[in-house]
Structures are given as C-alpha cells and as structure tokens.
C-alpha cells in the first residue's frame, strides 16, 4: 500500500518508520529542508511519561486570568479578536475540572508509557544514538507549596504503577550531585526513574536514516498547499512539487494543520502554543546536571545533551511574530544558573522559539476521520517526543486494520464531536 505522511517532525518520521516496517511503500513530505527541523529541533529533550499530564487542571482558570493580566511568568495569553483562540480557551477552561483532569491524565499516561516502551525497543533494534540518558527525571521543588502540589500527583502514579521516589534535599543531591552547588534553596524533589532524556533532533534524524534504509522516500523543502478530496476520500495532496497521491494519507503536521483540514469540513480543536529554549555549551561538566531536571517554580526543563545543556520552557498563547523573545530567553538562562552556577558558558547561547499544536484536554488526536483514507496523528502539544513512538505504532496498526496494543478510548477525533463533517 502507498502511504503518504505529511510532516517530517518526530511524529511524522516515527510514523513513517513503523509503516515501512509493516511493508508499505512510504513517502514523507515537509516544507523543512530535513527531518526534525521544526518543533522537534530544539525541544526540552525529555521523554518523560511521568510528566505527561494535562495543562487543563484545577486552578488553571485562575492562571489563565493572571496570564491575560501579564502577572504569570510562565504562561502568557495575548488576547485578541481571534475566534479560534477564544473558542479553544473556553474549551480548555471547561476541562479544568478535577474529574476531567483525572480522565485526561489517564489517557495521556496510557499513551506515554506505551510510547516509552516503543522507543526503547526501537532504540535497541536500530542501535540508535542521540545523546540519550536513562537516569530518570528529577522535579526540583523549591518551596513547601510546590512539594504539596507534587504529592498530589502520587495517587495517580500509584494507580498507574508509575515508579517514583520523594526526596529530601540530600536525596536530590544524591540523584544529581551538581545540585550541591545550587545558589537557590530547595525543600526536596520527586524523582521519576522511568523517564529519559536526549536530543530529539538527533533521534528524529537517526530514525529518518533508518526509515530511508527501509525504502522510505522523502520530499523535503516542499510546501503543502492543500488536500484534494472527492466524496469520502482524499484524492491527492497539492504541493509546490505537484500533486502527490497515495492509498493512505497520514496527517502528522504541527502549525498550519487546522487550515489544511478545514476545507474538508474537519474542525480540529487545536491551538498554536509558542515554546522557547536556550542551548548552552558546557564550561564545567562536573557542575552540569546528570539527570533530566524540572524546575517546578519556573516551569522549565533542563537536559544535559552531551557537552551541551538545553533549557526549555514558557508557553505563549495568541502571540504572532517575531518568534525571538529576549526576555523569555534571559529568564531561562537565569533560572538554570541558579541551580547550576558556572556549569555552562553563558556567552554562547543558541536561542530557539517554535510553535506546537495542543488540544484543549491534553491527549493528541489519533486515528480515523470521516475520510476513509485519511488518518490523524496530531495535537501532541509539548509532549510530542514523549508520545511519538506510541502514537506512530497506533497509526501503523490502524492502517494495517489490526487491533491497537493499547485502548484508544478518548484519543480520537470523535471525543470532540460525533460528526466532524460539515
């Protein structure tokens, strides 16, 4: 079967890999000049099922209000006359309910844990190297309020069987000895030994190379202009290189996906969220982090990637260009330096800002559409790498018409509306 994957980020590339593994004739098309060069290029670098939880949580309605008033340093909302944004924010607000949060968290955890197992199997079978570490992720808790918030997660972890350890400050230093030199106090930590870190861009490139060896073809630097359709099937994809046709089409794009699906009558509740990262060369490796770190006060992720360190964080809604934001970048570097002083060369920062697409409830949108040959693998938000391999395996199962290995309840388009056709 001929399969065309739209999108060469980590979600699209892993989808292509598993489809080719099933014996399909697979092609990938993307506007970028290579694999993983969009939101996958400089993300925080953590494959962390333990942190795969919905943003729409109790208390977030008040945070949205603070963000609108510019009094929240981690979350910003630029209110403007944008009906899709306002509609998404209303839907997001409705999900900030304890019962719905628990339901959505279970859905995300189900996929994220399956995805980690899938990634580990792929890494072994393809002998992948991407500066990966398997030392877990440590949430550094600076205040007792943060500690209490972390403890509220524990019943969910117990329900799922997720391993964790609650640590005092000495226990945090035992996990990551460089925290001994931190300039800031912390009251403890929550250690998630199952989680991993690495370079998502390098991972995506390595999987793309493996897929190419299986016969996958790639059309990079090719703009996707629209989808042609007749009745209940997609008949082709209009691109800057002409119309591309296949038996099955996999939508795995990020920014711009809603506009492509809208002419088909598919209203997907996705919102573009801007995230930021800074990558710094190490100046003193002995003072650099060993485990993946989440600074809960500043809501940033810190990842050691070989001889570099990456700091990712920030979530801006409703922003437009320019993508660079000096204030955001400075805040990331400042927060990192409080925990790991003199570890990195602050004079050589590499700034990045990019957009990723999020659903209002948290889980991505996977699976079939009313168009018989179009499947969706979109809306993973900031958890794209964490969920990529599992979501890709689900897509390959659906294309092969075999049962998925996990329960797909609550992961499809139908959860938003029974009939998405206009």
């Amino acid at each position: 079967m001929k399969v065309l994957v739209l999108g060469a980020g980590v979600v699209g590339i892993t989808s292509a890999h598993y489809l080719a593994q099933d014996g399909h004739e697979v092609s990938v098309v993307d506007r970028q000049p290579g694999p993983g060069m969009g939101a996958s290029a400089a993300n925080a670098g953590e494959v962390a099922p333990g942190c795969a939880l919905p943003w729409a949580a109790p208390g977030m309605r008040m945070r949205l209000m603070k963000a609108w008033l510019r009094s929240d340093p981690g979350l910003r909302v630029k209110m403007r006359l944008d009906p899709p944004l306002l509609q998404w924010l209303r839907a997001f607000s409705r999900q900030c309910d304890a019962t719905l949060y628990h339901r959505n968290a279970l859905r995300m955890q189900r996929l994220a844990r399956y995805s980690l197992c899938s990634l580990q199997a792929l890494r072994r079978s393809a002998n992948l190297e991407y500066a990966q570490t398997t030392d877990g992720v440590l949430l550094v808790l600076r205040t007792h309020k943060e500690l209490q918030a972390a403890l509220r997660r524990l019943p969910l972890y117990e329900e799922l069987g997720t391993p964790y350890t609650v640590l005092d400050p000495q226990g945090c230093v035992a996990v990551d000895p460089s925290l001994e030199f931190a300039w800031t106090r912390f009251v403890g930590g929550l250690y998630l030994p199952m989680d991993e870190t690495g370079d998502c861009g390098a991972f995506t490139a390595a999987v793309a190379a493996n897929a190419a060896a299986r016969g996958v073809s790639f059309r990079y630097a090719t703009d996707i202009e629209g989808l042609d359709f007749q009745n209940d099937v997609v008949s082709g994809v209009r691109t800057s290189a002409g119309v591309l046709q296949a038996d099955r089409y996999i939508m795995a794009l990020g920014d711009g996906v809603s506009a492509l699906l809208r002419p088909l009558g598919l209203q997907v509740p996705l919102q573009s969220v801007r995230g930021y990262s800074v990558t710094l060369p190490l100046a003193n490796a002995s003072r650099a982090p060993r485990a993946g770190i989440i600074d809960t006060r500043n809501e940033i992720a810190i990842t050691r990637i070989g001889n570099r360190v990456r700091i990712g964080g920030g979530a801006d809604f409703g922003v437009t260009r320019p993508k660079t934001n000096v204030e955001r970048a400075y805040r990331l570097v400042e927060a990192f330096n409080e925990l790991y002083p003199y570890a990195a060369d602050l004079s050589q920062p590499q700034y990045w800002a990019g957009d990723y697409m999020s659903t209002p409830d948290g889980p991505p949108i996977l699976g079939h559409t009313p168009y018989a040959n179009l499947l969706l693998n979109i809306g993973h938000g900031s958890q794209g790498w964490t969920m990529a391999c599992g979501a890709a395996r689900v897509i390959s199962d659906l294309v092969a018409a075999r049962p998925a290995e996990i329960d797909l309840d609550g992961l499809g388009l139908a959860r938003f509306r029974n009939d998405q056709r206009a």
Side-chain angles (χ1 to χ4, degrees), residues 7-341:
V10 66
V11 172
I13 292 296
T14 50
S15 297
H17 164 80
Y18 289 111
L19 289 163
Q21 186 172 272
D22 276 352
H24 300 295
E25 181 184 341
V26 183
S27 298
V28 179
V29 59
D30 196 282
R31 67 183 180 187
Q32 298 290 348
M37 300 185 72
S40 303
N43 70 10
E46 298 189 350
V47 183
C51 299
L53 298 169
W55 280 359
M60 281 298 294
R61 293 189 185 95
M62 183 58 68
R63 281 202 64 189
L64 282 175
M65 182 61 69
K66 291 181 178 179
W68 178 48
L69 298 172
R70 298 182 180 273
S71 58
D72 188 308
L75 178 69
R76 294 184 181 177
V77 179
K78 184 176 181 181
M79 299 300 289
R80 50 191 172 86
L81 293 177
D82 182 348
L85 171 61
L86 297 176
Q87 184 177 4
W88 189 94
L89 289 172
R90 284 195 296 270
F92 178 89
S93 180
R94 287 194 297 269
Q95 297 293 323
C96 296
D97 167 85
T99 300
L100 295 180
Y101 171 81
H102 184 262
R103 180 201 66 183
N104 295 331
L106 291 178
R107 291 171 175 175
M108 293 179 70
Q109 289 283 308
R110 184 197 321 148
L111 177 59
R113 289 163 63 91
Y114 174 63
S115 188
L116 177 61
C117 293
S118 301
L119 179 147
Q120 292 168 339
L122 173 56
R123 180 172 65 218
R124 290 191 297 268
S125 64
N127 195 28
L128 301 180
E129 293 291 337
Y130 48 93
Q132 67 267 24
T133 68
T134 56
D135 293 328
V137 168
L138 173 65
L139 280 67
V140 176
L141 310 169
R142 300 202 192 192
T143 67
H144 289 285
K145 182 178 179 180
E146 293 170 26
L147 175 60
Q148 292 304 312
L151 293 178
R152 287 194 289 272
R153 293 187 182 187
L154 302 189
L156 178 62
Y157 291 155
E158 295 283 356
E159 182 177 349
L160 294 165
T162 300
Y164 69 86
T165 305
V166 179
L167 301 171
D168 60 13
Q170 291 74 30
C172 293
V173 173
V175 169
D176 196 341
S178 295
L179 286 171
E180 179 182 359
F181 305 104
W183 284 344
T184 185
R185 287 185 66 253
F186 48 91
V187 301
L190 179 62
Y191 179 52
L192 304 171
M194 178 176 63
D195 295 353
E196 301 187 358
T197 65
D199 186 334
C200 182
F203 172 83
T204 306
V207 177
N210 187 270
R214 292 180 177 272
V216 175
S217 62
F218 298 90
R219 289 179 177 268
Y220 295 125
T222 302
D223 292 330
I224 299 171
E225 299 169 350
L227 278 64
D228 292 330
F229 58 96
Q230 290 183 332
N231 299 322
D232 291 331
V233 297
V234 173
S235 56
V237 177
R238 286 175 278 113
T239 77
S240 56
V243 176
L244 306 179
Q245 295 181 316
D247 301 308
R248 295 288 185 274
Y249 301 87
I250 312 301
M251 181 65 72
L253 290 170
D255 195 21
V257 66
S258 298
L260 284 172
L261 293 174
R262 195 172 298 119
L264 281 68
L266 300 177
Q267 303 295 327
V268 290
L270 295 176
Q271 175 58 41
S272 177
V273 183
R274 182 154 304 164
Y276 303 87
S277 75
V278 179
T279 305
L280 301 167
L282 292 181
N284 187 340
S286 65
R287 290 201 171 197
R290 184 177 70 186
I293 300 294
I294 302 291
D295 178 352
T296 56
R297 187 185 73 177
N298 293 291
E299 296 183 325
I300 65 170
I302 300 171
T303 304
R304 171 91 171 259
I305 301 177
N307 60 357
R308 301 169 295 152
V309 65
R310 179 164 298 153
I311 312 106
D316 292 353
F317 292 83
V319 297
T320 55
R321 287 171 169 73
K323 285 192 175 182
T324 56
N325 187 311
V326 175
E327 180 186 355
R328 279 292 202 199
Y330 178 79
R331 178 175 170 269
L332 294 177
V333 173
E334 183 180 45
F336 166 78
N337 207 45
E338 289 178 353
L339 288 173
Y340 297 99

Side-chain angles (χ1 to χ4, degrees), residues 334-401:
E334 183 180 45
F336 166 78
N337 207 45
E338 289 178 353
L339 288 173
Y340 297 99
Y342 306 114
D345 183 352
L346 306 186
S347 69
Q348 300 185 57
Q350 294 181 339
Y351 301 125
W352 176 88
D355 298 328
Y356 49 86
M357 305 302 291
S358 291
T359 60
D361 57 350
I365 304 174
L366 300 181
H368 294 292
T369 71
Y371 292 84
N373 60 346
L374 174 65
L375 291 89
L376 303 181
N377 191 359
I378 58 176
H380 303 76
S382 61
Q383 301 293 329
W385 192 15
T386 294
M387 296 185 175
C389 288
R393 288 188 66 183
V394 166
I395 291 298
S396 67
D397 287 338
L398 294 177
V399 170

